Each structure stands twice: as C-alpha cells, then as structure tokens.
Amino acid sequence: MPSVDLQLPHHRYSIEIEPGALSALGEKVRAVAPHDVAAMVIDENVADTHAPAAKRSLEAAGFEVVTHTLPAGEAHKTLDAVRELYDVFVKHRLERKSPVVALSGGVIGDTVGFAAASYLRGVPLVQCPTTLLAMVDSAVGGKTGVNLPAGKNLVGAFYQPALVVEDINTLRTLPDRQLRCGLAECAKHAMIHDADLFAWTGHHVEAIMSRDADTLTQLVARNVAIKASVVMADEKEAGGRVHLNFGHTFAHAIEATQFSSTSVTHCKPREPGRPDPGPHEHGEAVALGMVAAAHLAVGADRCDASACARLIELLNRVGLPTASDALADTDALIGAMRIDKKVADGRIRLVLPDRVGHVTIVEDTPIDAIRAAWERLRVT
Ligand code: NAD
Ligand code: GLY
C-alpha cells in the first residue's frame, strides 16, 4: 500500500492510499485520536455510497459516530456551513481530542478543515478525500477555508490534518466530469515539477478514465508525493509552495466572477457531467487558468510555444476546457485577480511556465499582457 509521510518541523502525518482503505479507517483514526466520540462530516453525494463503510469501521474501532451532512457544492463552502458545524460539535460535546473526519471532495475538506482548525482552537482532523482533486491536492498540505462573496478562499487557516486516508475505490462512483477536474491538478503538478509524470499521465488517460485501480493508485501516489514534498519545503507558502498556484490566479478570477454574476445564494449545486460549458468547476477553471498562464508566458518569450501546445494537447485529451465562451468580461476578470490572496503590494504575482516540468514566479506582469492572455482563452 503506498503511504506518503509528510514531515514538518512540529508535526508529521501519513497519507495512506489504497483501494478499500475506508474499511480500516477506524483503527487508523484510533491510532491518532483515541477519543470516544468522532464527528464525520459528509455531503449528500457520498451519504449512501461511501459514508456507511467509513461509519462501520469507526464504530468497529469503538467510536460513537456523529454524522452530519452538508449540502454539496462550492456555493456551500461558506461561513454559514462552518457555523452549522460548530453547533453540531457543541451539541455532541466534542472535546480537544475528538477526531473530526471530512469525507467527500475538496469543498467538504476545506470547510470541515477550517471548522476543525478553529473549534476549541483545533481538534484532530482526518481527511478522507473521495474526489481525485481532493486526493491529489486539497486534502494534503493543510490549507483550509471558505469563500466570501467577494472571492474564493478568502477566510481560512493553515491547519495540518492528523491523518489522510485515500480510498481509491471511491473514485468508481465519481462522475467523469469530476475525475477530469482532478486531472487538471495532476497536470498542474506535472507542469510545475515533473516532465516525466506529464508524459506518463498523457499515456494513461484511458486507463485513468476507465478507473483502473492500479493506474489510479500510481497516479494518486505520484501526485501526493509531489504535493507533500512542496509542502515540506515551504509549509506556509513563503517560497516554493507558490508554484502550486500555477493557473490559480486566473482560475479564482473565473470562479469569483461566476459567483458574482449568479450570486452565491443562487449558484445551486450542478448536475455532474452536465454538457453545458459554464459555470466552470474548480478543476475546469484551473485548466483554463494554466492555459492562460502558458499563453502569457509564450507571449512574453519566457516559454517555448511547444510547451504551451503540449499542455493544451494533454488537457484536450483529458476532456478539459482550454478555451471558453462562459467567461465574464475581461475588466471584471482582471478586477477579480486583484483581490486574489496572491496579490502582493497591489501587484498581481503570477506563476508562469518556462517549459514542461518547470515554472517561475513573476512579480509584475503588465496588465496588457494579462488582458491579452484572457482574450486568447475566449472561444471565437
Ligand atoms: P467538490 O468537493 O465540490 O466535489 C465535487 C462533486 O463530487 C461534489 O458534488 C461532491 O459531492 C461529489 N463527490 C465527491 N466524492 C464523490 C464520489 N466518490 N462519488 C460521487 N460523487 C462524489 O469539489 P472538488 O473538486 O473535490 O474540490 C474543489 C474544492 O477544493 C474547491 O473549493 C477548491 O477551492 C478546493 N481546493 C482546495 C485546495 C487546498 O489546498 N485546500 C486545493 C485545491 C482545491
Ligand atoms: N493547492 C495549493 C496549495 O495547497 O498550496
């Protein structure tokens, strides 16, 4: 069973990756948080499929399990959801040693993570990601938080989990659209750090999409190893962790303008696999954001056009968007980029590719170049 150790100066935890891992969840949680009551927070899309096995395993290990279901979808990654969780934790008398298990995708992981980080100034958090995106990215590395109407992830905390348990079999029920979104973050890891993984991913798209368990296990383990190594070198994003934001300043602007054009409260959870092009899921926005960054890098003579073409080819092969007719107008998108967390001293800081497998942080990109990159993304 692949297991990746994430070792920080004052904390270490393991990320355990295995088909069927949820059936042994209870004993693993008991080893890191030996308390009687465990809270398990899920969303409705895993309630009948994966939550029962996790609950059975926790109960078999002696936990009294309080299960709470939040509505699914980015529109519910809010302070209201966090407040709802505090009420549940208080009602069931969770203590400092009571584990809180987050089971579903990155929305649940980020929201529950922030509630766990702040309730009683921190209770043990166990991440059980069930989307590819959450397995390779959001469940690892300790970024937790929620959205504000003004933008994505504007409230949050760095709070490392006590344990991460990744059951590859849960990906069998994941809609194709969500699997593709996870592949956007995998393409990101490969673009920033690993040209060999980039080629490997391109060769294994079919096996991945057909949910071949060995291929998925390798894919997840290789990506988790990259994410863990970046976090170990720079936990709080003072240096190299910024590379993980490749494509994200553009992506967050796409997502933030989707919120404001529909308003968060009216942005209902969407049917996975729905054919219409927008609003974009997070992974789709990341794919578009990486392409925008690559266009920008080519236009600034920082990157060979062939690297941009290879990125577009991989994303197309996966079935991710590389252009869109669902973008807000360019001024609104640039305005949204300015309130991204990565803005420093009022300057938009971007991560741009130099080639497949390597990126650089660029501090002061001219607005005209950013504008041109947005225009290249539009379907004409
Ligand atoms: P998500 O949590 O919305 O999950 C996508 C959909 O899949 C949801 O409807 C969910 O209910 C459903 N689902 C989950 N597991 C399933 C399964 N096994 N079978 C069927 N359906 C399932 O989205 P996501 O893509 O997992 O995560 C996106 C979020 O993660 C965004 O909010 C993004 O900002 C955040 N994120 C955080 C970090 C971080 O470092 N903390 C990194 C990347 C992304
Ligand atoms: N997903 C970006 C990070 O964890 O830093």
Side-chain angles (χ1 to χ4, degrees), residues 137-138 140-141 143 185 188 227 231 237 241 244-245 248:
D137 194 353
S138 61
V140 177
K143 279 191 184 176
E185 301 286 8
K188 176 192 79 177
K227 173 96 195 233
V231 172
E237 203 171 285
R241 188 165 181 170
L244 293 173
N245 296 324
H248 281 60

Side-chain angles (χ1 to χ4, degrees), residues 43 45 74 77 104-107 110 130-131 138 143 152 170 173:
D43 69 28
N45 292 331
E74 188 71 35
K77 192 172 141 179
S104 187
V107 166
D110 282 11
T130 62
T131 66
S138 61
K143 279 191 184 176
K152 284 267 301 178
T170 61
T173 59

